[in-house]
Amino acid sequence: MQRHPWIIAAALSIASAPALAAPTVEAIARNCVVCHGPKEAGQVEIPKIANYPARKMVEMLTGFRDGQKEATIMNRISKAFTDEQIQALAAHFAGQ
Amino acid sequence: MPTTRRSLLGTGLAAAATLALPAVARAAGPRVVVVGGGFGGGTAAKYVKKLMPAAEVTLVERDKQFVTCPFSNYVIGGMEKMQTITHGYEKIAKRGVTVVHDEAVGVDPVARKVSLKGGTVLDYDRLVLSPGIDFVWGGLEGYDEAASEIMPHAWKAGPQTLLLRKQLEAMPDGGTVIIVAPANPFRCPPGPYERAGMIAWYLKNNKPKSKILIFDPKETFSKQALFFEAYESLYPGMIQWVGGKQGGKVTKVSPKEMTVEAEFGEEKGDVINVIPPQRAGKIAQVAGVTDEKGWCPIDPRTMESTKVKGIHVVGDACIAGAMPKSGTSANSQARNAAAAIVAMLEGKEPPEPSFANTCYSIVAEGYGFSVTGVYGATPEGIKEIAGGVSKLKAPAKDRDLEAAYAYDWYRGIIYDALG
Ligand SMILES: Cc1cc2nc3c(=O)[nH]c(=O)nc-3n(C[C@H](O)[C@H](O)[C@H](O)COP(=O)(O)OP(=O)(O)OC[C@H]3O[C@@H](n4cnc5c(N)ncnc54)[C@H](O)[C@@H]3O)c2cc1C
């Protein structure tokens, strides 16, 4: 269930970018973890995203990206990602 | 990409040198040496070990403790203490990284050896350099290392941070603080302007008749509109920026007279903070990975030097295209470099990298804003995919939230790099 969208997403993003290989979901996800760290990092305000429900993450990220949800910073960051990458990230963090 | 694919032992001389060693001396796993235990180096060492536990990872760092430049402006402004920005290497050592406190002084890229000041010689299969910056002493007339004891740079955190803080504390009310900003490229593009804000925060509460002058050779700078908006609303009339068009380029400083000579004329200061011209840390030059301007060209897919095979350069020292020289950039480059190194050591194709940067600036307690970007590797270098700065005229609650996020970012990056 959780792995499923990721597999499809990976296939899609490779198919849509033949010239330049797309980064792996792991490579993208490692950037997220700096601010949305594991509990050990001791963050207070920034939401943790390990085990985050996949459906909700897709809703949040696409909402930020498309200007339907207010944000201070994620609106700018999420514009870097395609639907497929957002699906893949959501599946990745949900599976942690 | 077959050119970047390398076997465990590398090729040619490196392989021969390794095999010539007696069997007992042969390392169990591939040897990765990292020089510099800052944001780039700490992260690289930690992630290579994490992704490839069999690797023998050695981190060479000159200092026993890492004092971060991030948040050092808050120490200068009196909002934070040195303790907050000082970190040890115990945690990364516990993860199985061998931490050696010494200075790397030589690199032999053919025999793949790094020599340390204390006499130790380390063999490597892959070398990562993340030495940060060094100053070009004399690059600004009158400004050498001795001058920095009178006109601190505070652009490497530690005693210089405290020196600038003490000078501000000793300054009389009504005094003038001068900040000499550098030309591009330099470490932390928003740093000088965040510093002006934090100094103003201190002065407003303690010495409200004082003034801050920023002399700048540039005509624009990072998050400029946000800084100007903040200066105006928080510290009206206190901070004056003199940019390149108005003759803000400083051509000479005189520590004896406590003056700076700019294109528009001479100015006297009570406290003068000079941020001098910079280049990659010296060891990069020694290793032969710098270009004529003193920075290190790299292949963005692997962060491997385009000048010397087997050496990866991350952080401030490297030429990272659209990415600013920041701790977050160094950290992101290092994670991607670690993944590439591990793949190369396993004889696999390095994965496609994904880079990110976020730099928060806090200019008063509870007043923060940010610049952020997501980047990808292209044949022409690292390019931005998306990003931008915080909204102008944002409500106070957003500025407050971004200041809180800055603290979380700090906790997170310290954990990711050294925890
Ligand atoms: C005032 C200020 C504020 C900043 N604020 C932020 C911020 O809020 N966010 C952000 O992202 N960035 C910020 N930065 C930028 C950030 O500090 C740098 O970009 C970052 O430190 C670069 O990482 P690095 O690994 O390249 O170098 P460093 O972190 O400087 O690490 C280099 C390390 O290498 C060691 N070293 C060098 N040569 C040798 C050698 N030969 N042998 C052994 N050890 C060696 C040094 O001792 C040092 O510990 C700020 C900078 C300044 C000056």
Side-chain angles (χ1 to χ4, degrees):
Chain A
M1 179 73 176
Q2 280 161 349
R3 295 249 161 236
H4 187 57
W6 174 51
I7 293 162
I8 295 169
L12 281 175
S13 60
I14 287 162
S16 63
L20 208 69
T24 60
V25 68
E26 287 83 5
I28 300 173
R30 281 186 207 118
N31 290 323
C32 308
V33 172
V34 179
C35 292
H36 298 272
K39 319 199 260 311
E40 296 82 8
Q43 283 141 341
V44 184
E45 291 281 349
I46 299 180
K48 311 259 179 305
I49 53 174
N51 296 313
Y52 203 87
R55 189 189 298 266
K56 197 168 163 210
M57 187 176 292
V58 171
E59 195 185 297
M60 300 283 275
L61 287 175
T62 45
F64 292 142
R65 184 191 62 186
D66 303 338
Q68 284 138 9
K69 268 191 201 304
E70 283 286 314
T72 59
I73 186 165
M74 283 311 298
N75 48 349
R76 293 172 265 155
I77 293 173
S78 52
K79 288 197 175 58
F81 305 115
T82 60
D83 286 343
E84 293 77 24
Q85 285 171 324
I86 287 175
Q87 299 264 358
L89 282 167
H92 174 86
F93 286 111
Q96 276 190 341
Chain B
M1 247 140 263
T3 46
T4 54
R5 181 182 291 179
R6 291 186 76 98
S7 75
L8 191 86
L9 292 175
T11 50
L13 287 163
T18 311
L19 295 172
L21 290 170
V24 278
R26 182 68 191 89
R31 295 150 307 181
V32 176
V33 174
V34 181
V35 174
F39 287 104
T43 307
K46 177 172 163 179
Y47 274 85
V48 169
K49 190 70 193 172
K50 198 166 161 174
L51 297 171
M52 193 183 208
E56 298 211 344
V57 183
T58 307
L59 179 62
V60 181
E61 166 56 50
R62 192 192 280 140
D63 300 325
K64 288 266 154 64
Q65 288 184 311
F66 181 53
V67 184
T68 66
C69 285
F71 281 35
S72 67
N73 283 337
Y74 315 156
V75 175
I76 290 164
M79 194 168 81
E80 283 299 337
K81 299 268 174 255
M82 283 303 275
Q83 203 186 325
T84 315
I85 61 168
T86 306
H87 307 274
Y89 291 94
E90 304 78 23
K91 288 182 185 151
I92 195 164
K94 269 200 196 122
R95 287 184 181 269
V97 170
T98 306
V99 181
V100 177
H101 289 292
D102 202 337
E103 184 174 330
V105 290
V107 175
D108 181 340
V110 178
R112 300 208 175 197
K113 286 176 194 298
V114 178
S115 45
L116 311 185
K117 204 174 182 178
T120 311
V121 177
L122 300 167
D123 293 295
Y124 68 82
D125 296 301
R126 293 263 150 205
L127 174 63
V128 180
L129 298 180
S130 190
I133 53 156
D134 270 333
F135 301 117
V136 184
W137 298 119
L140 169 61
E141 196 186 332
Y143 200 72
D144 55 14
E145 205 163 356
S148 75
E149 294 302 317
I150 300 160
M151 299 175 160
H153 52 77
W155 221 242
K156 288 189 184 185
Q160 279 274 315
T161 311
L162 280 178
L163 180 60
L164 183 54
R165 171 72 192 155
K166 289 208 179 97
Q167 290 185 351
L168 289 167
E169 283 173 335
M171 188 182 84
D173 190 8
T176 301
V177 179
I178 298 177
I179 298 175
V180 179
N184 292 323
F186 65 101
R187 156 178 286 184
C188 195
Y193 317 98
E194 179 192 60
R195 176 169 291 175
M198 274 322 302
I199 292 177
W201 183 71
Y202 167 70
L203 295 176
K204 184 185 175 182
N205 295 320
N206 297 278
K207 295 160 189 179
K209 286 186 248 148
S210 312
K211 276 208 164 7
I212 302 168
L213 299 171
I214 309 170
F215 292 151
D216 205 331
K218 302 185 290 299
E219 271 155 35
T220 56
F221 59 84
S222 174
K223 295 185 254 187
Q224 187 166 359
L226 284 157
F227 279 112
F228 283 172
E229 181 184 76
Y231 294 168
E232 217 164 278
S233 72
L234 299 166
Y235 315 113
M238 189 178 252
I239 304 174
Q240 193 193 343
W241 178 74
V242 186
K245 272 206 184 108
Q246 299 108 286
K249 183 180 176 189
V250 171
T251 50
K252 188 184 168 182
V253 298
S254 173
K256 252 206 200 117
E257 324 289 336
M258 284 299 278
T259 54
V260 309
E261 256 174 53
E263 280 173 348
F264 80 93
E266 197 183 80
E267 199 73 44
K268 211 171 160 55
D270 295 284
V271 173
I272 302 179
N273 168 216
V274 178
I275 304 163
Q278 301 156 25
R279 63 179 169 216
K282 189 173 170 206
I283 191 68
Q285 205 182 327
V286 170
V289 294
T290 51
D291 69 4
E292 67 292 346
K293 289 190 175 133
W295 304 103
C296 309
I298 46 94
D299 172 354
R301 285 199 67 222
T302 56
M303 304 305 291
E304 186 172 12
S305 166
T306 54
K307 307 197 88 170
V308 183
K309 287 281 151 215
I311 303 182
H312 301 252
V313 188
V314 298
D316 289 352
C318 77
I319 300 171
M323 296 185 85
K325 294 190 186 303
S326 75
T328 322
S329 293
N331 167 256
S332 179
Q333 291 154 8
R335 277 193 307 272
N336 285 291
I341 286 167
V342 168
M344 289 160 108
L345 289 168
E346 288 170 343
K348 292 183 193 149
E349 189 74 13
E352 191 63 26
S354 170
F355 302 101
N357 174 59
T358 296
C359 288
Y360 287 99
S361 296
I362 298 181
V363 290
E365 208 162 24
Y367 193 112
F369 46 80
S370 60
V371 58
T372 188
V374 178
Y375 308 82
T378 79
E380 292 84 47
I382 298 178
K383 293 259 159 76
E384 183 173 297
I385 298 165
V389 300
S390 305
K391 279 198 271 284
L392 281 169
K393 301 197 175 79
K397 71 162 179 35
D398 281 14
R399 298 283 186 248
D400 188 44
L401 201 54
E402 289 219 270
Y405 287 170
Y407 274 77
D408 274 353
W409 164 84
Y410 188 84
R411 293 181 183 103
I413 197 162
I414 292 299
Y415 179 82
D416 204 54
L418 295 173

